[in-house]
Amino acid sequence: MNWNTKEQLEDLICQLVSWDSRTGTEGEVLFPYKLKDELFKMEYFLNNPEFLELYDAGRDRNALSALYKTEKSDKTIVLISHFDTVHTKEFGSKSRLAFSPRELTQRFAESPEDFSREIQDDILSGEYLFGRGTMDMKMGIALHMHLIEKAIREKWPVNLLLLTVPDEEVDSAGMRAAVENLETLKKKHGLRVSLFLNSEPSFTQRPEDPNYYIYSGSIGKIMPSALFYGIETHAGEPLRGLNAHYMASFLNQKMEFTDAFSEEEYGEKTPLPVTLKNYDLKDDYSTQTSNHVASLYNVFTMKQNADDIFVKYNDLVNEAMDECQNQYDIICRRENIKPVGKIKTVTYRELYDYTLKKIGSKKMDEIITAYIERGDLDDRGKSMRIANRMVTYCKELVPLTVTLFAPPYYPSVNASEDALIKNIVQYTKRHLSENHSINPIEVHYFNGISDLSYVTYDSHDDSWETYKDNTPVWDRTYSVPFEKMQQLQAPFINIGPFGKDPHKLTERLHKKSAFEITPDLLENMIKAFFIK
């Protein structure tokens, strides 16, 4: 066997990490082809090449599926992972070593004093492997390859479908594309999904957290955003206009750390909202004030849907703009200057309908297409500039704040009350305690955001219509297959290896957890529930 012993698994993770696949790079494009070649080293896939497939995920990227199929059952476990990683700027001169785990680990061991005491202890212990993607989440892929190989060798009477995707770290384009193809795969091979098994690593809940976690749900993430369109003026006559930065400051204060969206379930709380991006749409420097500024806000969810968030968000925007107007009016009275106008607030849908009526569908399509085709802008930049361009045709509305959604959107999902998941959680706790002296803790909402958000979407929820209507790039460069997701109703769980510091210079994987404990756990869990 190629990926069975702890030594073989360490070799495999080092190989997978060496295939640099940072999001948006050529390496991300090439990774699934390299992985496909690696899987073809197995005689099973040489004899059944139709069980290895690639799926277009846009921008030359592909998701990859590898199927082990038994004739004894239609029960199927879908093994979910992602192969893209975040970038490596924090490595500085050690950037090359980010993809050489053994060499990087040795280099850190030569100068442990450069790090905090906790990290020094981990370096000198010899228990960790450092490197970009070791923890998040190429070890998950390695574990799934191990399970596929085991199933083939031992002829397990349950189907395993390995599904690994690009772009999880930015927009989850890979998983969204894979969802579109899962139904086709199910029909093509006669599969019935019994479990989605993700193997994202165990994330710390707080700094220096030593606990091991398993996850029966995944937190949601949505980005309510705003375009502030003021009235430009010369900096020497500031009150003859209304600075969009001034307008934005009121909502930024209102949104940052607000508890308006807070949720608590199972004793767990959503992190507070923060501003993820604040930028000026004025390209050049001049002494003219800016009349258009954009803000993007991160909001986490558990039970709330897009409707719930948008209603609360618009209430906050209205409050913030009322406060802005009041302060501005006070300043104008103090300076004995007439205000330039009253701030209006509209949703993107309202702006779209207003502009469409004014300029017609042909001109509207030209506006949207012009920005959709710009390769120098991401979906967030395109969204803001589309809304901004519409306002230029409706200057009678300014000063104006436009509320909208910017991609990506990760719906929250939870399987904590599912009978199978409850049993798997209890089995996992017992197995780790009795065999490895580990007492795992169940987390009901994975706090790292995951591709599990795109399975088992609430079949009764239609709030995505609100999301669709208020996302400027919807169905052009970004969409979420909500209806297909609603068809993928199966329990899910996230069980992965222990590690520390994802997305940081000191990202590291606990070797015993990755190469011994977790493979043993996953194999025995599958046998206990699906091979009796």
Side-chain angles (χ1 to χ4, degrees):
M1 295 179 73
N2 298 310
W3 312 308
N4 188 46
T5 68
K6 62 182 181 181
E7 292 80 13
Q8 289 174 325
L9 284 171
E10 183 170 339
D11 287 342
L12 176 58
I13 185 60
C14 288
Q15 180 183 28
L16 296 177
V17 170
S18 74
W19 300 342
D20 169 13
S21 54
R22 289 167 292 177
T23 310
T25 66
E26 182 68 12
E28 184 187 27
V29 172
L30 297 175
F31 187 94
Y33 294 97
K34 293 178 180 179
L35 186 59
K36 187 177 182 182
D37 289 343
E38 187 68 20
L39 290 164
F40 264 134
K41 291 180 181 179
M42 299 178 67
E43 186 177 353
Y44 180 83
F45 289 115
L46 284 174
N47 294 334
N48 300 279
E50 70 276 14
F51 291 163
L52 280 178
E53 296 188 49
L54 294 171
Y55 309 98
D56 179 29
R59 301 180 186 175
D60 297 323
R61 300 168 301 187
N62 285 275
L64 170 71
S65 69
L67 173 65
Y68 160 71
K69 190 174 188 302
T70 178
E71 298 302 322
K72 298 179 180 179
S73 175
D74 62 352
K75 289 183 179 179
T76 305
I77 301 172
V78 180
L79 308 171
I80 296 174
S81 64
H82 69 86
F83 57 76
D84 65 314
T85 71
V86 296
H87 283 249
T88 54
K89 293 177 182 177
E90 70 274 19
F91 281 80
S93 61
K94 295 184 178 70
S95 183
R96 177 187 62 83
L97 298 178
F99 309 107
S100 301
R102 289 181 175 123
E103 190 177 350
L104 179 66
T105 302
Q106 178 58 39
R107 186 67 62 87
F108 284 168
E110 293 170 1
S111 54
E113 66 279 358
D114 293 345
F115 302 95
S116 69
R117 171 52 60 187
E118 180 201 1
I119 297 170
Q120 286 184 42
D121 290 345
D122 287 349
I123 291 171
L124 297 174
S125 72
E127 296 176 0
Y128 288 85
L129 195 64
F130 289 74
R132 176 60 76 238
T134 50
M135 175 193 179
D136 186 16
M137 69 160 298
K138 288 183 176 176
M139 193 61 220
I141 304 172
L143 289 167
H144 295 168
M145 293 169 72
H146 162 77
L147 291 173
I148 287 274
E149 186 179 44
K150 271 273 186 179
I152 291 169
R153 185 177 182 86
E154 298 177 4
K155 296 182 171 59
W156 290 0
V158 62
N159 304 295
L160 298 186
L161 178 64
L162 182 154
L163 181 61
T164 189
V165 302
D167 191 50
E168 190 266 359
E169 299 292 0
V170 179
D171 287 326
S172 277
M175 189 62 190
R176 289 185 286 114
V179 166
E180 296 278 8
N181 290 283
L182 266 174
E183 195 64 30
T184 301
L185 263 177
K186 285 167 56 183
K187 292 177 181 177
K188 180 179 178 181
H189 297 293
L191 308 176
R192 176 168 57 89
V193 179
S194 301
L195 178 70
F196 290 101
L197 174 61
N198 201 352
S199 290
E200 288 273 11
S202 174
F203 273 62
T204 55
Q205 297 291 101
R206 60 185 184 278
E208 300 184 16
D209 182 359
N211 294 307
Y212 177 78
Y213 299 98
I214 53 177
Y215 306 91
S216 53
S218 194
I219 203 165
K221 165 197 165 75
I222 194 166
M223 284 212 296
S225 303
L227 170 71
F228 305 92
Y229 206 108
I231 298 174
E232 69 279 4
T233 184
H234 191 285
E237 298 179 298
L239 288 175
R240 293 198 66 183
L242 185 56
N243 194 333
H245 287 287
Y246 181 71
M247 296 167 63
S249 69
F250 283 84
L251 184 57
N252 291 345
Q253 284 284 331
K254 187 75 71 173
M255 284 293 294
E256 197 85 8
F257 307 139
T258 181
D259 63 357
F261 306 99
S262 293
E263 295 184 77
E264 183 173 352
E265 296 286 336
Y266 302 100
E268 300 166 20
K269 293 182 178 181
T270 50
L272 295 174
V274 293
T275 307
L276 282 187
K277 192 171 178 64
N278 218 193
Y279 55 104
D280 194 332
L281 275 66
K282 185 179 78 168
D283 294 324
D284 60 330
Y285 167 80
S286 72
T287 52
Q288 182 190 62
T289 60
S290 181
N291 65 339
H292 41 192
V293 168
S295 293
L296 282 65
Y297 307 104
N298 189 90
V299 175
F300 287 111
T301 65
M302 287 178 173
K303 295 290 189 181
Q304 295 177 99
N305 60 30
D307 263 344
D308 300 326
I309 297 299
F310 209 49
V311 168
K312 291 180 180 179
Y313 174 63
N314 277 287
D315 286 345
L316 282 177
V317 173
N318 285 323
E319 288 178 18
M321 293 304 100
D322 284 346
E323 291 173 11
C324 177
Q325 185 73 56
N326 289 338
Q327 287 299 312
Y328 169 68
D329 289 344
I330 290 171
I331 293 167
C332 287
R333 286 196 296 271
R334 185 192 72 199
E335 300 296 322
N336 196 28
I337 289 178
K338 182 180 178 181
V340 294
K342 295 291 184 181
I343 302 170
K344 302 174 186 66
T345 301
V346 299
T347 65
Y348 173 75
R349 182 67 203 198
E350 290 169 340
L351 174 65
Y352 179 93
D353 290 342
Y354 184 94
T355 311
L356 180 65
K357 185 176 180 180
K358 187 172 184 180
I359 67 175
S361 58
K362 181 180 179 181
K363 187 63 179 177
M364 179 69 85
D365 187 63
E366 289 176 2
I367 290 171
I368 296 174
T369 301
Y371 288 105
I372 290 298
E373 292 178 348
R374 281 186 56 175
D376 61 319
L377 298 174
D378 65 11
D379 284 340
R380 287 148 291 283
K382 291 174 182 178
S383 296
M384 292 305 175
R385 284 166 176 80
I386 288 170
N388 182 73
R389 189 72 177 112
M390 289 181 187
V391 178
T392 64
Y393 286 92
C394 309
K395 285 292 189 71
E396 66 275 13
L397 298 178
V398 300
L400 178 70
T401 298
V402 183
T403 62
L404 60 136
F405 286 118
Y409 177 29
Y410 290 79
S412 59
V413 289
N414 190 274
S416 301
E417 300 305 317
D418 181 89
L420 174 62
I421 298 307
K422 283 185 173 182
N423 288 332
I424 289 176
V425 168
Q426 290 307 311
Y427 175 88
T428 299
K429 289 181 176 180
R430 185 171 62 252
H431 179 90
L432 290 177
S433 175
E434 293 175 356
N435 295 282
H436 302 287
S437 299
I438 296 171
N439 296 307
I441 299 171
E442 178 185 6
V443 170
H444 301 272
Y445 288 94
F446 177 66
N447 59 317
I449 307 174
S450 80
D451 282 332
L452 284 174
S453 284
Y454 301 106
V455 299
T456 67
Y457 183 71
D458 184 353
S459 59
H460 302 292
D461 184 72
D462 61 1
S463 72
W464 57 273
E465 292 285 355
T466 296
Y467 188 83
K468 178 186 73 172
D469 287 345
N470 290 284
T471 302
V473 294
W474 181 264
D475 223 17
R476 297 289 192 118
T477 58
Y478 184 82
S479 62
V480 180
F482 290 105
E483 291 169 309
K484 291 283 179 68
M485 287 154 51
Q486 288 174 323
Q487 296 171 21
L488 295 174
Q489 297 298 316
F492 60 86
I493 195 162
N494 190 115
I495 302 175
F498 181 75
K500 297 180 181 179
D501 290 353
H503 299 192
K504 297 179 70 174
L505 171 69
T506 49
E507 177 181 352
R508 57 200 182 277
L509 177 72
H510 190 269
K511 293 196 286 188
K512 186 173 182 179
S513 174
F515 309 143
E516 299 178 55
I517 297 173
T518 312
D520 173 65
L521 167 62
L522 293 177
E523 178 184 343
N524 281 284
M525 182 273 286
I526 290 173
K527 288 180 175 178
F529 290 95
F530 297 95
I531 306 173
K532 296 181 179 178

